[in-house]
Amino acid sequence: MPLNTQPSILHICKVYLPVKGGIQKVVHAIAKLTDSYHHKVATCGEDGAIFEQNMDGVQVTRARSYLEIASMPIAPSLIKVIRHQVRNSDAVCLHYPFPLADCALATIIKLPPLVVYWHSNIVAQKKLKWLTYPFIFLTLRRAAVIVVTSQNMIDNSALLKRFQNKVQIIPYGLPPATQTTHSKNKGYFLLIGRHVSYKGIDVALRATKSTDSALILAGDGPLYEQHKLLAEELEISDRITFIKGATDNQLEQLISESIGLIVPSIMHNEAFALVQLEAMRLAKPVVNTALPSTVPSVARHRREGLTVAPRDVSELATAMNELANDSSLAKKLGKNGLSRYHKHYTSEKFGSALNALLAKLIVNETS
């Protein structure tokens, strides 16, 4: 074991804070909820060469990414960073999907206990499967544990089925909201997410045209301007608000004053949609899609929300209209969501499962 006052955990992920995203939030939450360990992050950045910084107690090393191919950063120096950091770590946590990291780990003969955190089934790299599959298979074979958020993730992955004897289900969790759960409904739906194709933002805009409700889109991304143009083409710009750079507190306020949250994602690399928990902890209903991932099992159909078919504009519009016109249904689903959040998705439950997992791995390694 490295000579640290605390055992050291190396996290490897494509991007990290301050870049916003669900996986980044989860990595940060893991570090905060397991603070008896020293956490390090090896990741990519677009500016400059390799540099290190301390972010809220987490040692972050960024290697420059020159471009992306099939959603994978091309950062050659990250391989060197990973090889160096692994030597000084008591455990490694690889946050999937990230094929470049598989290549890096394949060059290391002896690894400390390896946790593969399978955040999402691999979708964007399907065309490169012939190249990436052998490295991914090797990583999973060497892993001590593979963490997923639900049984759905296993059922819909041929790879995970081959290694299901080492798969452990640990749902995400969030701390309680700081806003009140009784804010006045201001007649809009909220969509939080990056402007990328799999989020289904174009579907949400087309559905909004068939409703009388407003829609707030909180997020940025490569399709931001394209979506603004689509709102104009649909002649609904007067009911659409685009917001960039909202803080966590501002997002909480937006959720608390909304009719509900919509998660219209169209591809199953939307694996969990952490924003669902942000709505549920504020007693707000969720409209999500029937993806073969964890998404529809978080806010369940007619229990904590409404689930519609992916890409189905008409069905999404119908669900939005139902919640907008039936406040008792919206309140019931929201109340159920708050109860489900407290039962399954608190940060305390998340942290307890993570600490038990890491303790078992590191004790086994050193005993």
Side-chain angles (χ1 to χ4, degrees):
M1 176 184 290
L3 297 176
N4 295 324
T5 56
Q6 297 174 301
S8 178
I9 312 295
L10 172 64
H11 298 270
I12 305 172
C13 51
K14 286 200 294 187
V15 290
Y16 187 63
L17 302 176
V19 179
K20 292 188 175 181
I23 293 178
Q24 296 92 295
K25 281 188 175 181
V26 171
V27 177
H28 181 257
I30 291 172
K32 295 292 100 183
L33 293 170
T34 59
D35 58 3
S36 60
Y37 301 91
H38 171 61
H39 291 273
K40 306 177 292 184
V41 171
T43 188
C44 300
E46 294 182 354
D47 300 322
I50 296 173
F51 68 94
E52 294 187 4
Q53 62 185 146
N54 187 293
M55 296 186 65
D56 197 16
V58 178
Q59 177 189 331
V60 182
T61 304
R62 302 181 198 272
R64 182 175 182 181
S65 173
Y66 294 88
L67 72 159
E68 283 193 0
I69 297 177
S71 300
M72 183 177 76
I74 304 303
S77 57
L78 184 63
I79 295 176
K80 180 180 178 181
V81 169
I82 291 172
R83 287 177 57 86
H84 173 73
Q85 295 276 15
V86 163
R87 289 198 299 266
N88 301 305
S89 302
D90 297 291
V92 175
C93 189
L94 171 55
H95 297 271
Y96 260 40
F98 195 9
L100 179 63
D102 293 299
C103 298
L105 294 180
T107 69
I108 303 173
I109 296 175
K110 183 174 175 58
L111 286 174
L114 173 63
V115 178
V116 171
Y117 218 119
W118 193 275
H119 295 278
S120 170
N121 288 331
I122 298 170
V123 178
Q125 290 87 12
K126 274 188 175 180
K127 293 180 180 179
L128 297 176
K129 182 177 178 180
W130 62 272
L131 179 62
T132 60
Y133 185 91
F135 293 100
I136 296 170
F137 184 87
L138 176 61
T139 299
L140 296 182
R141 192 172 71 178
R142 299 174 78 185
V145 179
I146 303 167
V147 179
V148 298
T149 53
S150 74
Q151 183 65 39
N152 282 3
M153 301 298 292
I154 305 169
D155 294 341
N156 291 286
S157 170
L159 260 177
L160 289 183
K161 287 178 182 177
R162 298 187 66 171
F163 295 98
Q164 57 185 318
N165 63 312
K166 60 174 72 175
V167 176
Q168 183 171 339
I169 298 173
I170 300 179
Y172 301 147
L174 291 179
T178 59
Q179 301 286 343
T180 175
T181 59
H182 304 292
S183 297
K184 183 179 179 182
N185 178 343
K186 293 189 176 180
Y188 63 82
F189 285 92
L190 179 65
L191 193 163
I192 302 171
R194 294 191 70 233
H195 288 258
V196 291
S197 58
Y198 78 86
K199 290 291 186 180
I201 293 175
D202 59 324
V203 179
L205 289 169
R206 297 180 194 281
T208 301
K209 185 175 176 64
S210 298
T211 75
D212 294 324
S213 302
L215 174 65
I216 295 179
L217 299 170
D220 198 356
L223 299 182
Y224 181 88
E225 294 298 332
Q226 183 175 317
H227 289 147
K228 290 190 75 173
L229 287 174
L230 178 58
E232 293 174 7
E233 291 171 9
L234 294 170
E235 299 181 341
I236 56 171
S237 293
D238 59 325
R239 291 192 284 129
I240 308 297
T241 302
F242 291 82
I243 297 177
K244 290 183 180 181
T247 66
D248 289 344
N249 285 340
Q250 289 170 334
L251 289 175
E252 278 196 12
Q253 188 66 39
L254 288 170
I255 294 170
S256 69
E257 296 176 348
S258 71
I259 300 170
L261 180 78
I262 60 173
V263 183
S265 304
I266 60 174
M267 297 175 67
H268 64 276
N269 48 344
E270 183 72 271
F272 189 95
L274 194 64
V275 292
Q276 294 188 101
L277 300 188
E278 298 184 30
M280 291 163 65
R281 67 183 181 175
L282 282 161
K284 289 294 178 177
V286 176
V287 181
N288 59 25
T289 50
L291 295 171
S293 67
T294 304
V295 170
S297 65
V298 177
R300 300 165 297 177
H301 186 51
R302 299 217 167 266
R303 298 173 78 174
E304 298 84 29
L306 299 175
T307 300
V308 303
R311 303 179 191 271
D312 194 320
V313 172
S314 176
E315 200 173 332
L316 178 57
T318 298
M320 293 169 69
N321 281 327
E322 186 173 4
L323 290 180
N325 297 326
D326 190 343
S327 59
S328 62
L329 173 64
K331 185 175 181 179
K332 175 186 173 183
L333 296 177
K335 183 179 178 180
N336 290 346
L338 180 60
S339 176
R340 183 163 171 78
Y341 158 75
H342 283 299
K343 186 174 182 179
H344 296 289
Y345 299 115
T346 63
S347 56
E348 288 81 3
K349 294 181 184 299
F350 188 33
S352 177
L354 292 169
N355 277 294
L357 169 65
L358 291 175
K360 184 177 179 181
L361 284 178
I362 292 178
V363 167
N364 284 347
E365 176 71 4
T366 57
S367 60

